[in-house]
Amino acid sequence: MGQAYRTPFPCDSTIARLEQENEQLRHAIGSHATVDQAIGVLAVIHRLAPGVGFEVLREVSQHANIKLHTVAEMVIGWALGQPLPEAVGQELDAAVQRRSRQRDTPDAEAG
């Protein structure tokens, strides 16, 4: 008699929390795919390794103060013929040049 009745179904707050988590995961997966596509664009156009492409996107994002996923969308649009905002284009060029110089400079410890 002392046992309270428990419903086998989750309460409204649990459902709401799970729906919110589900939406966050969907957004994260979509953002990840967008970033991966932009890395592919940079790999093809600038002959960058995927890890370097990610670093370029990250640098542009930080220097331009634009979310990484938004920068990735801009790079994909650029590959499809849309213009890049001037500030993003300048940051992208600078980041690619920095990474290219690093790639072309022999490692001091290797010699």
Side-chain angles (χ1 to χ4, degrees), residues 36-68:
D36 282 346
Q37 289 173 5
I39 290 169
V41 167
L42 296 176
V44 169
I45 293 174
H46 294 291
R47 299 180 55 134
L48 300 174
V52 175
F54 177 78
E55 289 300 317
V56 166
L57 291 175
R58 187 181 59 78
E59 285 181 30
V60 172
S61 171
Q62 288 177 343
H63 293 161
N65 196 26
I66 301 172
K67 291 187 180 239
L68 179 70

Side-chain angles (χ1 to χ4, degrees), residues 51-97:
V52 175
F54 177 78
E55 289 300 317
V56 166
L57 291 175
R58 187 181 59 78
E59 285 181 30
V60 172
S61 171
Q62 288 177 343
H63 293 161
N65 196 26
I66 301 172
K67 291 187 180 239
L68 179 70
H69 137 88
T70 303
V71 170
E73 287 176 339
M74 291 175 180
V75 168
I76 293 168
W78 172 62
L80 296 173
Q82 298 172 9
L84 274 175
E86 187 175 342
V88 173
Q90 289 173 351
E91 290 295 342
L92 182 62
D93 289 343
V96 167
Q97 285 181 1

Side-chain angles (χ1 to χ4, degrees), residues 18 25 29 31 33 36 43 45 66 69 83 94 100 106:
L18 291 172
L25 289 171
I29 289 170
S31 292
D36 282 346
I45 293 174
I66 301 172
H69 137 88
S100 294

Side-chain angles (χ1 to χ4, degrees), residues 13-27:
S13 64
T14 301
I15 291 171
R17 182 182 53 79
L18 291 172
E19 286 175 343
Q20 181 182 15
E21 286 176 12
N22 194 356
E23 182 57 34
Q24 288 171 344
L25 289 171
R26 276 194 204 109
H27 179 73

